[in-house]
């Protein structure tokens, strides 16, 4: 069975997008998602995205990390789907309802409200989420006291002097899989460089180091705002480029940035299932 796909990215965080708005796909399992996402034997991407009908929003967006796990949110993919569909779009995700609209700087996404309660992250037990009383040894120092925040998906945000000096490939998986995070976690290492500027790198849950992470940018921005380190609109610069994040007086996060269609193609479902 031939299936069409659109290859897309947001600042280099890339996606294989399957459009099932007017026809159902064959049953999609985590194994099929991981096979399609494999950069050696599949099409290759950080996340596999499926657009399908919804009875709660215009459409439903399903997100599979390249490890095959289905997850709640993906900021960069939200912009990609918004670009693909066009106009103002509401999307149902496992992490809640979001809304996209065209913007002068690409696509703007209402990412909803951040959650800071320990059991909403979730964490394994009650603790201060503004500075978790934990640390992980790194070299002759440590990554410690992260902010924990849920922006549809779980994030730990560490503020450091230089994100590019952190051995993220080494420490990322250890933190991602620490039992203190029952649903694992996305690991953000960030430096505040001005009241309106943050530099960020991300080890993504189920995907590893990516060139950009939209939810990571949202999580890091509101974490910095909660600590009083930045104003309520900031530019978060990732390896793939900048995103603008605003946290408004109605407690809603807006993320604005580019989305790109790379190419279209098709594959035989039988090659992967
Ligand atoms: N790895 C993330 C999902 C993708 C998030 C990232 N690609 C983004 O743009 O937000 C998670 O497991 O929660």
């Amino acid at each position: 069975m031939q299936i069409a796909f659109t290859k897309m990215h947001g600042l280099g965080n890339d996606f294989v997008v399957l459009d099932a708005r007017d026809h159902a796909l064959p049953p999609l399992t985590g194994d099929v998602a991981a096979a399609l996402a494999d950069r050696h034997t599949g099409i290759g991407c950080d996340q596999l995205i499926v657009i399908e009908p919804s009875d709660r929003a215009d459409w439903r967006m399903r997100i599979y990390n390249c490890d095959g796990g289905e997850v709640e949110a993906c900021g960069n993919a939200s912009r990609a789907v918004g670009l693909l569909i066009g106009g103002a779009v509401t999307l149902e995700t496992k992490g809640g309802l979001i809304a996209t609209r065209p913007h002068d700087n690409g696509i703007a996404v209402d990412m909803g409200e951040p959650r800071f309660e320990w059991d909403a992250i979730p964490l394994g037990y009650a603790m201060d989420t503004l500075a978790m009383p934990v640390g992980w040894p790194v070299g002759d120092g440590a990554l410690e006291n992260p902010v924990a925040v849920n922006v549809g998906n779980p994030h730990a945000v560490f503020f450091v002097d230089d994100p590019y000096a952190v051995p993220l490939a080494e420490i990322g998986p250890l933190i991602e899989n620490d039992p203190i995070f029952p649903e694992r976690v996305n690991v953000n290492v960030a430096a505040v460089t001005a009241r309106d500027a943050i530099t960020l790198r991300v080890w993504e849950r189920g995907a590893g180091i990516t060139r950009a992470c939209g939810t990571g940018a949202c999580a890091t921005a509101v974490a910095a705002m909660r600590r009083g380190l930045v104003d309520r609109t900031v530019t978060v610069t990732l390896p793939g480029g900048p995103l603008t994040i605003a946290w408004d007086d109605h407690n809603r996060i807006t993320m604005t940035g580019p989305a790109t269609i790379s190419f279209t193609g098709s594959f035989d479902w039988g090659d992967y299932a």
Side-chain angles (χ1 to χ4, degrees):
M1 180 179 189
Q2 283 298 308
I3 302 288
F5 70 87
T6 304
K7 188 73 180 354
M8 302 186 76
H9 73 87
L11 298 178
N13 176 205
D14 66 343
F15 315 107
V16 168
V17 182
L18 307 183
D19 188 345
R21 286 180 287 173
D22 57 13
H23 60 279
L25 294 173
L28 179 58
T29 64
D31 289 346
V32 172
L36 282 165
D38 190 304
R39 295 192 187 280
H40 302 289
T41 58
I43 300 169
C45 59
D46 293 325
Q47 279 87 25
L48 175 73
I49 305 297
V50 181
I51 310 169
E52 55 189 30
S54 166
D55 55 15
R56 295 181 56 213
D58 292 331
W59 302 104
R60 180 178 182 188
M61 177 173 79
R62 302 184 74 164
I63 305 150
Y64 295 83
N65 281 320
C66 52
D67 72 352
E70 185 174 0
V71 293
E72 312 90 338
C74 184
N76 288 317
S78 304
R79 298 197 314 279
V81 168
L83 174 71
L84 199 62
I85 294 174
V89 182
T90 57
L91 294 172
E92 172 193 357
T93 70
K94 283 182 73 173
L97 294 178
I98 61 175
T100 75
R101 59 182 167 80
H103 184 279
D104 293 346
N105 297 336
I107 300 288
V109 186
D110 174 345
M111 294 290 290
E113 301 182 5
R115 301 285 306 281
F116 298 103
E117 310 81 31
W118 71 271
D119 51 353
I121 305 303
L123 301 178
Y125 49 88
M127 72 181 78
D128 175 11
T129 58
L130 189 55
M132 293 173 64
V134 291
W136 289 264
V138 178
D140 55 8
L143 272 183
E144 52 193 6
N145 307 127
V147 179
V149 52
N150 186 294
V151 289
N153 56 357
H155 288 264
V157 181
F158 297 88
F159 290 102
V160 300
D161 293 336
D162 178 1
Y164 288 85
V166 175
L168 197 52
E170 169 194 325
I171 192 64
L174 299 180
I175 299 172
E176 172 194 354
N177 294 287
D178 193 295
I180 203 168
F181 303 109
E183 292 179 16
R184 300 187 289 153
V185 76
N186 294 283
V187 183
N188 301 266
V189 290
V192 174
T193 55
R195 291 290 305 176
D196 63 352
I198 298 172
T199 299
L200 174 63
R201 288 177 73 216
V202 186
W203 171 275
E204 284 196 30
R205 176 183 62 172
I209 293 176
T210 58
R211 288 194 49 73
C213 180
T215 50
C218 294
T220 298
V222 298
M225 292 166 190
R226 264 196 99 200
R227 286 201 176 168
L229 303 175
V230 296
D231 298 330
R232 298 285 288 220
T233 298
V234 295
T235 298
V236 179
T237 301
L238 297 120
L243 292 171
T244 301
I245 311 296
W247 186 18
D248 68 22
D249 295 340
H250 304 287
N251 193 31
R252 300 193 73 85
I253 301 168
T254 299
M255 168 191 58
T256 307
T260 304
I261 296 175
S262 302
F263 56 86
T264 59
S266 68
F267 63 90
D268 186 326
W269 189 270
D271 291 344
Y272 295 93

